[in-house]
Structures are given as C-alpha cells and as structure tokens.
Amino acid sequence: MTDHDAGRGLPAGVALRPWAEGDDLRLLEVWGDPADAQHHQDRAMLRPSSDGQGPDRQPWARCLVAEDEGIPVAAAVVYASSVHPRRLWFYAETAREQRGRGIATALLAALRQEAHAARDEGAVEAVDLKARFAVVPTELPESAADAAALDPADHPAAAFLAGQGFAPVQRSRRIAVGPGSITAPELDGTGLTVEDLATGSVELTRAVAAFYEATHGWDPAEMSVGRAQQLLLGPSTGASGAVVLRPAPKDRGGAVDAFAISYTPERSEDPTDVLLGCNPELAPADAQAAAVALLALLTTQYPVQLEVDDAMDVLTPVLDRLVATGHARVLLDTRIWATDPD
C-alpha cells in the first residue's frame, strides 16, 4: 500500500491506516445504528483490503480507517466488481461529530491513489467510481406526492459527492405491490402458459443474464450464464423458486417472455422478495405486457416487493402508476452517483 497520510491535508491528530479485524465493532460504537436498509447494506462494503488474487478469489479492494488520537472515527472503501468492471464501488462514513473536518475527503484521495496504482499494475480496469445513498433515510413518505417532493440534493451525502466530482447516474427503488392491484389475465384459450422452473435451469439462467445485461447499459455488465447462476440464482442467493410466462407451451415453441424469482423461502406477512424480468428481445409493448401479466398473477392474493432501476423502462411506468394510486409503496429509494455519469 502507498503512504496514506502523505499530502492528505489531514486534521491534526488524525491518521489513516488499513482496515483491521474488529474495526466494524469499534466504528459501530461511534457511528450508531444505520439509518435505513441501504445504509446497513453499504456498511457491509467495508472489508479487509485484497489484491484480487489468491484462492479466496476476493475482488480487488482497499479499505482505510481514520483514527483521531488513536480512536477510529471514519472508514472508506473502494472495490472492484467482475460483473461491472467500468467503475469501482466507493463508500465512506464519518462519525457525526467529526464531519466537516475533511476526513472523508482525505480518505477518498488516498483510495483514489490506490486505485490508480492498481490500474497501472493491471489489477483493475478503471478508476472511475460509483456510490449510492437512500433519499428517505429514516421514515417512509406519507404519499407518492411526498416521495416526489424529496430532493436528493438535500441528503448530506449528495453535497460531499458533488464536491468530489460525482453526479447522478441512476435511481433504484424497492417497491411493494399490494395484492389484487392489477387485474390478472385470463389464461384459458390465450396460449399464455405459466410454468414453474428450477432455479438451476439453463433456460432460466440465460433469460436472467440477458435481462440483466440489457438493463445495465448505464453501468455495463458482463453477466455470463455462470455468473448469473452464481450471483442471482444459486443456493447462496436465497433463490427459492421461479415461474416463467410463455406465449405458448414450451413444446410448441413458447420461449420465456417474462420470469419471476422468489427470494423468500416461506410465506410470511411481509411482501415476497421477487426479481421480475422479461425478454429484452421483445418489442417494448410486448415486454411490458408480459411483465405486467406475470406481476398480476404473482399478486393475485399476496403482496410482493421488487427492486427496480429506472433503466428498467418496461417496468417503471407501471410501478409509478401503482405508487401514484396507492396500490404500491416505495420501501426504499436509492440514488446512484458516479464520477463519469455520461
């Protein structure tokens, strides 16, 4: 690693060091509990540094901790993704009472130096960064109108990211859709076929990989069939079942027009966590019709929750209408910023 403190403009008494075992607990004492689900998930980005080699196959990562008079008060990380090689993920957090002192800026500067060195050595492909934050950190809006009025620029992370050369690139939301919100299609006599598929199905895996790549032009993905199986469908993901919608039975040439994968192993009062997608080769109107039909069938009796980016332009208009009419609600609204938004 490089000399983290050299030329960083650190406040008096503050020094940077690599992440060490037990830092998560030490920092929790000064940070307190996470404000929301996204905040909790982002703290999990903090990890031991890795060169991206060795038998554990951990991605390249650099994680630093800032100590004030020997007490950890802040941490930041950058790490690579084999699926999205264009940008490195970045996350930083500083104890509330330590903010405004330039600690996060110093951490980012040190990590950018590490990333440039890694690119020169061929360990990473790029040094552009992406980061995210939830715009509803503590409570959900009362209505769709309240949600629309939320200004991401008001979030404290936005001011920091803007000052470091980041700009908005994407919005990702977790949306719960209530039961009976959409009229279910009639299947009899239409040829439409709903079929259960094993999560290990090659046909399903190919459909998921194609949908994922098609909806990530904003952050290009290299989602092979093997990666799709490992990251979205394998046992470690919690995938517990899948259904597909075909325009005709498979033995009559019916391909997968839409798919839904459940990540909730047992029925509960909470909305079932579902990945919903469609065949990107369909015409937009046909793709939307297939996705909406499958969503309607899924929510005939029970609610589901979906994670959807604005890039999923087949799904977002439908979900926006459901939110506006009160038939769906936004559980989490996350904004993604990048240093190269174009």
Side-chain angles (χ1 to χ4, degrees):
M1 285 192 178
T2 56
D3 183 353
H4 305 303
D5 295 346
R8 296 294 167 216
L10 286 164
V14 176
L16 307 185
R17 63 163 174 81
W19 178 272
E21 184 178 356
D23 277 336
D24 52 343
L25 299 178
R26 299 183 188 100
L27 287 164
L28 184 61
E29 293 180 359
V30 297
W31 286 348
D33 293 333
D36 53 70
Q38 187 64 70
H39 192 184
H40 175 77
Q41 185 178 353
D42 287 346
R43 282 183 177 177
M45 292 186 186
L46 300 168
R47 63 188 65 188
S49 296
S50 168
D51 288 329
Q53 301 174 352
D56 58 358
R57 293 189 150 194
Q58 293 297 314
W60 181 91
R62 288 293 181 268
C63 188
L64 299 175
V65 173
E67 292 184 333
D68 186 10
E69 302 295 344
I71 299 175
V73 295
V77 63
V78 291
Y79 71 92
S81 165
S82 59
V83 177
H84 299 278
R86 175 176 166 180
R87 301 182 179 106
L88 306 176
W89 273 112
F90 166 69
Y91 176 70
E93 185 170 354
T94 304
R96 186 175 299 276
E97 62 274 13
Q98 297 284 348
R99 293 172 188 171
R101 300 179 63 198
I103 296 176
T105 298
L107 283 164
L108 177 55
L111 291 172
R112 276 177 158 155
Q113 181 176 322
E114 292 278 1
H116 279 87
R119 183 183 62 180
D120 293 343
E121 295 169 358
V124 298
E125 295 184 24
V127 294
D128 288 306
L129 306 176
K130 60 184 175 182
R132 64 192 177 191
F133 58 89
V135 299
V136 191
T138 56
E139 60 183 15
L140 296 175
E142 293 294 330
S143 67
D146 291 338
L150 293 167
D151 186 353
D154 292 337
H155 195 286
F160 172 76
L161 292 172
Q164 300 298 324
F166 289 74
V169 67
Q170 189 57 255
R171 175 177 68 162
S172 179
R173 291 174 294 169
R174 182 163 290 276
I175 298 176
V177 180
S181 300
I182 309 172
T183 302
E186 291 289 342
L187 300 181
D188 292 344
T190 65
L192 291 176
T193 301
V194 178
E195 176 187 349
D196 291 326
L197 278 187
T199 55
S201 161
V202 174
E203 182 186 27
L204 174 66
T205 307
R206 286 174 175 164
V208 171
F211 174 75
Y212 190 94
E213 284 199 340
T215 54
H216 282 82
W218 61 275
D219 192 17
E222 297 178 1
M223 182 61 78
S224 65
V225 170
R227 284 174 176 165
Q229 179 59 222
Q230 177 186 6
L231 301 176
L232 299 171
L233 293 162
S236 64
T237 68
S240 58
V243 294
V244 299
L245 180 71
R246 303 180 189 273
K250 184 178 180 180
D251 59 7
R252 298 181 187 174
V256 173
D257 278 358
F259 62 82
I261 301 158
S262 170
Y263 295 90
T264 303
E266 296 178 359
R267 174 61 59 190
S268 69
E269 294 182 359
D270 294 329
T272 301
D273 189 7
V274 169
L275 171 62
L276 179 67
C278 53
N279 181 354
E281 296 183 0
L282 293 174
D286 294 336
Q288 184 175 84
V292 171
L294 188 53
L295 179 59
L297 292 167
L298 291 174
T299 56
T300 300
Q301 293 183 305
Y302 302 101
V304 302
Q305 58 177 317
L306 312 169
E307 186 170 338
V308 57
D309 296 342
D310 281 358
M312 299 177 184
D313 51 10
V314 166
L315 295 173
T316 50
V318 176
L319 294 173
D320 286 343
R321 288 194 295 272
L322 292 174
V323 170
T325 58
H327 293 94
R329 61 189 180 101
V330 178
L331 303 177
L332 189 65
D333 188 342
T334 298
R335 307 304 166 96
I336 303 172
W337 287 40
T339 56
D340 61 333
D342 295 332

